[in-house]
Amino acid sequence: EAQVTQNPRYLITVTGKKLTVTCSQNMNHEYMSWYRQDPGLGLRQIYYSMNVEVTDKGDVPEGYKVSRKEKRNFPLILESPSPNQTSLYFCASSPSGGRNTEAFFGQGTRLTVV
Amino acid sequence: AQTVTQSQPEMSVQEAETVTLSCTYDTSENNYYLFWYKQPPSRQMILVIRQEAYKQQNATENRFSVNFQKAAKSFSLKISDSQLGDTAMYFCAFMKHAYSGGGADGLTFGKGTHLIIQP
């Protein structure tokens, strides 16, 4: 089954404790991206990757890191999480360099930083 | 940069009624794609319908259809014969066409409309 898998689905952590949210897709898509969703703000892009070893900032990259060592994986790293990073996070993938088609979304990760 | 505006934070209609969700956008691009995504309480992002800007014909998917007005930069979603399962957040989104040039872009989303279908 074609899918984007995020883990964990729920995470509660403390300020400053490094964490990683994993994202994996089995559709051989070149383009992957991370979004955060906040009430009243919709979804905003954090980082994206056009292909292996090619990443770039989206609209709200501060406080986040990403890597793309393999085509299927695109982890989101919070080196020192802060309460303002409490949010719902989505990973998405699509073929053709991110254009010409719709994005496939993971199930979402609800992150709470206390 | 693109912007997407959904002016209705929340709407409520009776089951079986028809409802229209509005979306406007601003862009200098000529070729692009527009989407409506549904997000039910499960939080999953589900593609409802997709429109390519170079196609004049409005897209339809069963009970869902759009009214795409390119000159007015408007992209509304009509849901006919609404059902309880249509209760969800609905997001309008914009994506540049591959041949538009410039840097890579993902989706630009509106802030969403919370649609409630009453029994």
Side-chain angles (χ1 to χ4, degrees):
Chain A
E1 179 189 354
Q3 59 185 2
V4 179
T5 303
Q6 289 179 233
N7 279 298
R9 294 287 308 277
Y10 300 89
L11 179 60
I12 301 175
T13 190
V14 296
T15 298
K17 184 177 182 181
K18 180 179 179 180
L19 66 92
T20 299
V21 184
T22 63
C23 174
S24 180
Q25 51 93 4
N26 62 1
M27 296 168 279
N28 201 38
H29 286 168
E30 293 84 10
Y31 188 91
M32 298 185 73
S33 57
W34 277 101
Y35 296 86
R36 61 177 288 173
Q37 181 181 357
D38 301 291
L41 296 178
L43 285 80
R44 294 175 293 168
Q45 191 180 50
I46 303 171
Y47 267 95
Y48 63 89
S49 170
M50 295 290 287
N51 214 322
V52 176
E53 301 293 359
V54 181
T55 63
D56 208 345
K57 298 177 180 178
D59 297 320
V60 287
E62 294 77 19
Y64 304 95
K65 286 175 57 178
V66 293
S67 68
R68 188 90 182 272
K69 294 183 171 57
E70 304 167 280
K71 198 172 188 178
R72 62 183 292 127
N73 296 323
F74 190 46
L76 179 69
I77 303 158
L78 285 72
E79 294 270 0
S80 182
S82 62
N84 65 12
Q85 292 178 297
T86 292
S87 188
L88 177 60
Y89 291 86
F90 286 98
C91 178
S93 75
S94 55
S96 304
R99 306 173 185 181
N100 293 333
T101 186
E102 66 268 23
F104 295 80
F105 285 84
Q107 296 282 77
T109 296
R110 171 70 71 185
L111 172 65
T112 302
V113 183
V114 297
Chain B
Q2 290 68 232
T3 60
V4 177
T5 302
Q6 293 179 248
S7 59
Q8 305 148 313
E10 185 169 289
M11 297 184 71
S12 180
V13 299
Q14 296 295 122
E15 193 176 8
E17 289 183 349
T18 293
V19 59
T20 298
L21 280 58
S22 66
C23 172
T24 59
Y25 58 94
D26 189 25
T27 183
S28 58
E29 303 289 336
N30 192 46
N31 293 318
Y32 49 87
Y33 298 85
L34 295 163
F35 307 90
W36 278 98
Y37 279 90
K38 171 185 177 181
Q39 186 181 47
S42 66
R43 303 182 331 212
Q44 180 67 31
M45 294 292 288
I46 302 166
L47 178 67
V48 174
I49 202 164
R50 170 186 182 226
Q51 176 78 41
E52 296 165 61
Y54 63 88
K55 290 186 177 178
Q56 291 186 336
Q57 186 173 5
N58 289 324
T60 63
E61 288 288 342
N62 301 312
R63 297 183 295 109
F64 299 86
S65 62
V66 298
N67 182 5
F68 173 49
Q69 302 289 330
K70 190 173 184 180
K73 295 180 182 174
S74 171
F75 183 61
S76 61
L77 175 69
K78 185 172 83 170
I79 305 174
S80 303
D81 186 28
S82 57
Q83 302 173 359
L84 296 179
D86 295 333
T87 292
M89 282 291 292
Y90 286 82
F91 292 99
C92 179
F94 174 103
M95 180 190 287
K96 287 199 303 187
H97 190 278
Y99 302 110
S100 293
D105 271 330
L107 291 158
T108 300
F109 286 89
K111 295 181 178 181
T113 295
H114 184 207
L115 176 64
I116 300 168
I117 309 299
Q118 305 276 10

